[in-house]
């Protein structure tokens, strides 16, 4: 009976995903793979790093996702003078001469951390700690964040002067590193037509917070065969130079490979990718479908790779 209920739940997730994607596509044009990746991260209870030049609808995408999923949303613009208290909140002295906690903008279901590399490490660390613990601590008191809690941080790949790049240990907290590209000519025509007229798009809320949490638990209960599990772990192990599974290319071009968290995310991401595709268990193709975005920010190229113009994406494709 439990197996039958899980099958029905996976079918429900598959149908919900199609409805969610259809609603988002009313507003966000030509970013189907990005939308899919963001939804996989949400249902896997992970966070995303979104990299793209300005004007590619990153903010619009997150606002639309939060609206369709019926979740609260806050946007935080990261600047060099932003302090941790500006994000998580602070205690102030009230009129009754008692300290009271004023919540910061991080108290929402979906947070858009815009240009996270524009703010100093101290403020970055405050956000990343909240991402890990799903709570913030002020003056010895712990305050739980709303659930589900999802952070989408953006980075601008150009204009790197005066930025504070995230160290590898902090990048590892993000499940996905998603790259946005320019829309196609046809998609851009549709975007311009839709955004320069008086037409209004009405979005329908598809699911709510409690249903998302249910689906997050469902993803974890999906079974994985041993050979798929081994494939995911071996794929991550192959990224580590000077280890038994490392290829000559990895030894020559990589200075640091992915850690165990990548293996965990690969399996979770593969489970979710299978479920939203209508499958009841992941296969190797599901692992490969999420691998690039999971490994992209966890492999560090050495100077030789940079000098020869070898990209991270090329290194990952060679792993397959």
């Amino acid at each position: 009976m439990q197996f039958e209920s899980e099958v029905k739940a996976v079918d429900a997730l598959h149908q919900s995903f199609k409805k969610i994607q259809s609603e988002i596509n009313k507003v966000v044009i030509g970013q189907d793979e990005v939308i899919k990746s963001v939804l996989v991260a949400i249902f896997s209870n992970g966070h995303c790093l979104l990299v793209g030049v300005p004007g590619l609808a990153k903010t619009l995408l997150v606002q639309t996702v939060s609206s369709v999923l019926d979740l609260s949303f806050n946007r935080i613009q990261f600047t060099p003078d932003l302090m941790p208290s500006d994000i998580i909140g602070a205690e102030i002295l009230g009129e009754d001469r008692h300290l009271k906690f004023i919540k910061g903008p991080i108290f929402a279901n979906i947070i858009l951390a815009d240009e996270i590399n524009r703010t100093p490490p101290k403020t970055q660390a405050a956000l990343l700690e909240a991402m890990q613990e799903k709570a913030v601590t002020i003056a010895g008191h712990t305050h739980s964040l709303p659930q589900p809690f999802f952070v989408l941080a953006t980075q601008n790949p150009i204009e790197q002067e005066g930025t504070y790049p995230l160290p590898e240990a902090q990048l590892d907290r993000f499940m996905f590193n998603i790259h946005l590209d320019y829309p196609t000519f046809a998609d851009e025509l549709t975007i311009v037509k839709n955004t320069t007229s008086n037409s209004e798009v009405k979005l329908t809320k598809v699911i709510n917070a409690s249903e998302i949490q249910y689906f997050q638990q469902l993803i974890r209960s999906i079974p994985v065969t041993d050979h798929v599990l081994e494939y995911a772990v071996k794929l991550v192990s192959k990224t580590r130079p000077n280890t038994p599974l490392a290829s000559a290319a990895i030894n020559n071009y990589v200075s640091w490979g992915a850690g165990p968290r990548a293996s965990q995310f690969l399996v979770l991401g593969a489970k979710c990718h299978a479920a939203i595709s209508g499958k009841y268990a992941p296969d190797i193709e599901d692992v490969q479908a999420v691998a690039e975005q999971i490994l992209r920010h966890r492999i560090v190229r050495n100077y030789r790779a940079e000098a020869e113009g070898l990209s991270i994406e090329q290194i990952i494709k060679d792993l397959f």
Side-chain angles (χ1 to χ4, degrees):
M1 291 297 291
Q2 184 180 357
F3 175 74
E4 289 182 5
S5 64
E6 287 184 355
V7 167
K8 289 180 180 178
V10 170
D11 289 338
L13 174 56
H14 175 53
Q15 294 301 322
S16 294
F17 170 77
K18 290 198 293 185
K19 291 178 183 176
I20 293 166
Q21 195 170 38
S22 176
E23 285 298 311
I24 296 172
N25 283 338
K26 291 179 181 178
V27 177
V28 181
I29 309 297
Q31 298 286 3
D32 287 352
E33 287 304 312
V34 174
I35 293 168
K36 186 177 184 179
S37 297
V38 169
L39 293 174
V40 167
I42 289 177
F43 290 125
S44 302
N45 202 14
H47 306 287
C48 283
L49 186 65
L50 207 54
V51 180
V53 299
L56 295 183
K58 295 187 287 291
T59 303
L60 179 64
L61 168 64
V62 187
Q63 286 177 326
T64 307
V65 168
S66 63
S67 178
V68 173
L69 300 183
D70 197 16
L71 298 174
S72 58
F73 164 75
N74 275 333
R75 176 180 178 271
I76 306 172
Q77 180 63 53
F78 280 71
T79 55
D81 59 347
L82 196 71
M83 299 296 291
S85 58
D86 296 328
I87 296 174
I88 62 177
E91 285 193 331
I92 65 169
L93 192 64
E95 294 178 358
D96 57 357
R97 296 187 178 276
H98 287 89
L99 289 172
K100 63 178 180 178
F101 176 61
I102 304 298
K103 292 180 178 180
I106 201 170
F107 283 84
N109 296 121
I110 294 184
I111 303 297
L112 174 62
D114 213 1
E115 295 193 286
I116 191 173
N117 56 333
R118 297 282 174 192
T119 203
K122 186 176 182 180
T123 307
Q124 290 175 354
L127 173 70
L128 294 162
E129 183 181 358
M131 287 166 51
Q132 184 71 18
E133 306 299 331
K134 304 292 176 73
V136 297
T137 302
I138 301 290
H141 299 288
T142 300
H143 304 271
S144 297
L145 295 170
Q147 295 300 319
F149 178 70
F150 175 69
V151 171
L152 194 148
T154 70
Q155 282 192 170
N156 183 349
I158 56 178
E159 296 178 353
Q160 295 303 309
E161 290 183 12
T163 60
Y164 305 86
L166 289 170
E168 277 68 27
Q170 293 182 350
L171 281 172
D172 196 45
R173 307 236 181 127
F174 290 95
M175 179 178 184
F176 283 160
N177 182 338
I178 304 170
H179 282 194
L180 274 79
D181 206 350
Y182 292 108
T184 63
F185 182 79
D187 287 335
E188 192 163 350
L189 275 176
T190 306
I191 292 167
V192 173
K193 183 179 179 181
N194 292 351
T195 55
T196 56
S197 65
N198 288 325
S199 61
E200 274 190 35
V201 177
K202 291 187 178 179
L203 295 172
T204 303
K205 299 183 190 302
V206 178
I207 58 177
N208 56 34
S210 60
E211 289 172 305
I212 292 169
Q213 289 178 285
Y214 171 75
F215 285 137
Q216 286 175 341
Q217 292 299 318
L218 171 69
I219 295 302
R220 290 188 168 270
S221 68
I222 290 175
V224 183
T225 58
D226 287 344
H227 82 280
V228 173
L229 197 66
E230 288 176 8
Y231 178 82
V233 175
K234 280 183 179 178
L235 193 62
V236 174
S237 298
K238 286 179 182 180
T239 68
R240 301 164 188 164
N242 304 314
T243 58
L245 293 176
S247 66
I250 292 295
N251 289 332
N252 289 334
Y253 296 115
V254 173
S255 59
W256 200 257
R261 191 175 281 159
S263 300
Q264 296 168 334
F265 281 145
L266 269 181
V267 173
L268 273 176
K271 284 183 176 187
C272 189
H273 189 272
I276 65 173
S277 304
K279 296 188 288 188
Y280 305 117
D283 51 31
I284 287 174
E285 285 74 18
D286 293 304
V287 177
Q288 292 177 344
V290 298
E292 185 174 304
Q293 295 171 117
I294 289 173
L295 297 176
R296 180 184 277 141
H297 54 301
R298 294 181 166 90
I299 297 175
V300 181
R301 294 178 300 164
N302 58 22
Y303 291 115
R304 182 176 179 181
E306 292 179 10
E308 294 184 17
L310 190 67
S311 69
I312 290 292
E313 287 76 15
Q314 288 173 298
I315 292 171
I316 293 170
K317 283 175 183 175
D318 286 344
L319 293 172
F320 296 153

